[in-house]
């Protein structure tokens, strides 16, 4: 017996190199196909584009787990969804519309039924946007703003308007980003 690799099976090293960079999205199905296929989600786009397919509200409370087919044909399968909370009842009513959206995305009648499984969902990652730094005002500018609101009798209103004026003046001084 020899330890030669099978000549009929192409390996990663045999793959043609194009000599240029490729978008990750173009390579993702090839890379993640086996891993997602083992979980019953050979259609990787179903997971990656879930929010675009079903919308923000439904995507926030659901997660596709697997797509199971009964026969040899990859048609009329059951999409298993993990569902959080009481949205399960709403999804039962929206099932025909969801199936239509999913099949339109996939381009064929892959899904015929939804199976809802209650369970915890991973928490979404929330990115906090950094607040832009305002430019510092000169003492004369601050004094001019204070003078313009000095005639207001209500102390809380006067302070709020002074803060607003300072913020607007500081942002007006910032150079525009290009």
């Amino acid at each position: 017996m020899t330890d030669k690799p099978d000549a009929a099976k192409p390996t990663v090293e045999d793959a043609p190199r194009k000599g240029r960079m490729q978008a990750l999205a173009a390579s993702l199905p090839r890379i993640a196909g086996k891993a997602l296929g083992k979980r019953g989600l050979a259609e990787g786009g179903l997971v990656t584009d879930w929010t675009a397919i079903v919308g923000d509200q439904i995507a926030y409370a659901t997660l596709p787990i697997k797509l199971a087919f009964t026969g040899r044909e990859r048609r009329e399968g059951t999409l298993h969804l993990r569902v959080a909370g009481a949205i399960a009842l709403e999804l039962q009513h929206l099932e025909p519309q969801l199936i239509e959206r999913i099949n339109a995305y996939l381009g064929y009648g892959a899904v015929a039924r939804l199976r809802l499984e209650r369970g915890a969902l991973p928490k979404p990652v929330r990115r906090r946007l950094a607040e832009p730094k305002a430019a510092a005002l000169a003492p004369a500018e601050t004094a001019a703003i204070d003078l313009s609101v000095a005639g207001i009798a209500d102390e809380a209103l006067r302070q709020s308007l002074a803060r607003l004026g300072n913020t607007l003046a500081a942002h007006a001084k910032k150079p525009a980003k290009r």
Side-chain angles (χ1 to χ4, degrees):
M1 285 196 128
T2 61
D3 288 337
K4 284 191 202 175
D6 189 12
K9 293 182 183 176
T11 62
V12 175
E13 292 82 21
D14 296 337
R17 295 192 61 179
K18 302 202 188 249
R20 59 183 164 82
M21 293 177 59
Q22 292 182 335
L24 181 61
S27 303
L28 187 63
R30 180 176 45 85
I31 296 167
K34 289 182 182 178
L36 291 172
K38 288 179 185 176
R39 295 191 61 215
L41 286 170
E43 303 293 344
L46 196 59
V47 176
T48 58
D49 296 334
W50 185 243
T51 303
I53 296 168
V54 297
D56 290 334
Q57 289 181 327
I58 294 173
Y60 182 77
T62 61
L63 179 70
I65 299 172
K66 71 178 179 177
L67 180 56
F69 299 100
T70 54
R72 294 187 140 250
E73 257 186 71
R74 298 184 61 80
R75 295 189 152 291
E76 298 182 5
T78 302
L79 179 62
H80 296 251
L81 294 176
R82 180 165 294 143
V83 180
I87 196 168
L89 181 62
E90 185 177 350
L91 289 178
Q92 288 176 340
H93 293 289
L94 293 175
E95 184 173 356
Q97 289 91 351
L98 291 176
I99 290 172
E100 185 178 333
R101 285 183 186 179
I102 294 165
N103 287 337
Y105 172 80
L106 295 173
Y108 69 103
V111 178
R113 289 165 295 291
L114 297 179
R115 180 163 181 223
L116 307 177
E117 302 173 5
R118 287 188 176 252
L121 298 175
K123 292 186 180 183
V125 176
R126 292 189 179 191
R127 295 184 185 125
R128 188 172 179 178
L129 298 175
E131 201 169 300
K133 301 276 183 182
L137 294 179
E141 292 171 315
T142 305
I145 293 170
D146 289 340
L147 182 63
S148 68
V149 296
I152 299 173
D154 186 0
E155 179 69 24
L157 179 59
R158 184 173 54 249
Q159 289 176 353
S160 293
L161 289 174
R163 278 195 312 272
L164 176 64
N166 287 329
T167 302
L168 291 175
H171 283 289
K173 285 179 68 172
K174 264 192 342 184
K177 288 185 181 179
R178 292 185 183 215

